[in-house]
Amino acid sequence: MSHIRFPRPARTVATAFNLSAGLLLLALMTLTVADVISRNMLDQSILGTVDVSTLLLVAIAFLGLASAEIDGRHVSVTLLEGRLGPRSRTVLSGVRAVLLAVTGVLIVWGLGDVLLSAVDRGETTNDILRLPTWPAKLVLFLSFLLFFAMAVWKAVTEFRAFRSGGVPEADEVDAATERAASTAHTDEMARSSHDH
């Protein structure tokens, strides 16, 4: 889990997005079970299941992005960076912050254009219900906006920690965890050799 202090409003919104994804997943599971039962018992599918499921899947897939970034649940590999000196890590941290900011602006800008286009054209799904697609595109826009805001916040916080000569809190926790694991392993080895 990340120990970087994110703004409380951002954490609140990310938690709400995450809970929404959970509730939508429950709704999708219920719809899928009902559709399977309907097909088996009535020989027909529930009208619009494909449309609704598609829109729900989009929302479910992306609503948890910011929460995962805040909690440090995204996959990361520090094989190279962990072996570098403080100056190199500071430079890499600054480069990472700039790249995240630029990438975030480009993606969020593009998603905003797609959202506005869907609203202007009255874009709908292709199936029988003709559901508007803008709600799913709004979810994408907001999810990526919050995700990139949190990712840039984290990168800038780490950069500032390196510049001040410190170590980001996440690194301190990782180092403490490694020390604890090493100590436990050493203690286990000592007990093993003592028993023999």
Side-chain angles (χ1 to χ4, degrees), residues 24-69:
L24 291 175
L25 181 59
L26 185 61
L28 179 61
M29 291 181 342
T30 303
L31 177 62
T32 302
V33 169
D35 187 51
V36 169
I37 290 171
S38 177
R39 276 188 275 142
N40 285 327
M41 296 181 76
L42 305 174
D43 288 331
Q44 67 179 20
S45 184
I46 296 174
L47 185 66
T49 298
V50 173
D51 275 1
V52 174
S53 297
T54 302
L55 295 177
L56 287 178
L57 278 172
V58 170
I60 292 165
F62 295 102
L63 278 171
L65 280 177
S67 181
E69 182 64 21

Side-chain angles (χ1 to χ4, degrees), residues 5-195:
R5 288 176 184 85
F6 291 93
R8 183 185 239 33
R11 289 185 74 90
T12 302
V13 172
T15 300
F17 280 8
N18 206 21
L19 290 173
S20 299
L23 292 173
L24 291 175
L25 181 59
L26 185 61
L28 179 61
M29 291 181 342
T30 303
L31 177 62
T32 302
V33 169
D35 187 51
V36 169
I37 290 171
S38 177
R39 276 188 275 142
N40 285 327
M41 296 181 76
L42 305 174
D43 288 331
Q44 67 179 20
S45 184
I46 296 174
L47 185 66
T49 298
V50 173
D51 275 1
V52 174
S53 297
T54 302
L55 295 177
L56 287 178
L57 278 172
V58 170
I60 292 165
F62 295 102
L63 278 171
L65 280 177
S67 181
E69 182 64 21
I70 288 171
D71 294 340
R73 286 182 275 146
H74 286 296
V75 175
S76 63
V77 179
T78 58
L79 293 174
L80 174 64
E81 188 178 349
R83 292 171 174 27
L84 297 176
R87 180 173 287 166
S88 299
R89 291 187 78 182
T90 302
V91 170
L92 282 178
S93 183
V95 168
R96 181 172 45 247
V98 170
L99 288 176
L100 275 170
V102 169
T103 304
V105 166
L106 291 174
I107 289 177
V108 170
W109 185 295
L111 288 171
D113 279 348
V114 168
L115 171 61
L116 292 175
S117 174
V119 170
D120 287 344
R121 293 183 297 116
E123 185 179 281
T124 62
T125 57
N126 294 329
D127 212 351
I128 196 160
L129 290 184
R130 296 286 200 195
L131 297 172
T133 60
W134 71 262
K137 293 182 179 187
L138 177 63
V139 166
L140 279 173
F141 174 79
L142 293 175
S143 296
F144 275 97
L145 177 65
L146 186 58
F147 164 70
F148 277 109
M150 295 303 92
V152 170
W153 179 278
K154 183 177 182 179
V156 168
T157 302
E158 288 175 350
F159 175 71
R160 291 177 67 199
F162 281 127
R163 271 193 64 200
S164 66
V167 176
E169 291 180 26
D171 283 0
E172 290 173 4
V173 170
D174 291 343
T177 303
E178 287 177 17
R179 283 193 302 273
S182 176
T183 303
H185 180 69
T186 304
D187 291 346
E188 184 64 33
M189 294 296 288
R191 276 194 294 270
S192 243
S193 64
H194 179 68
D195 291 343

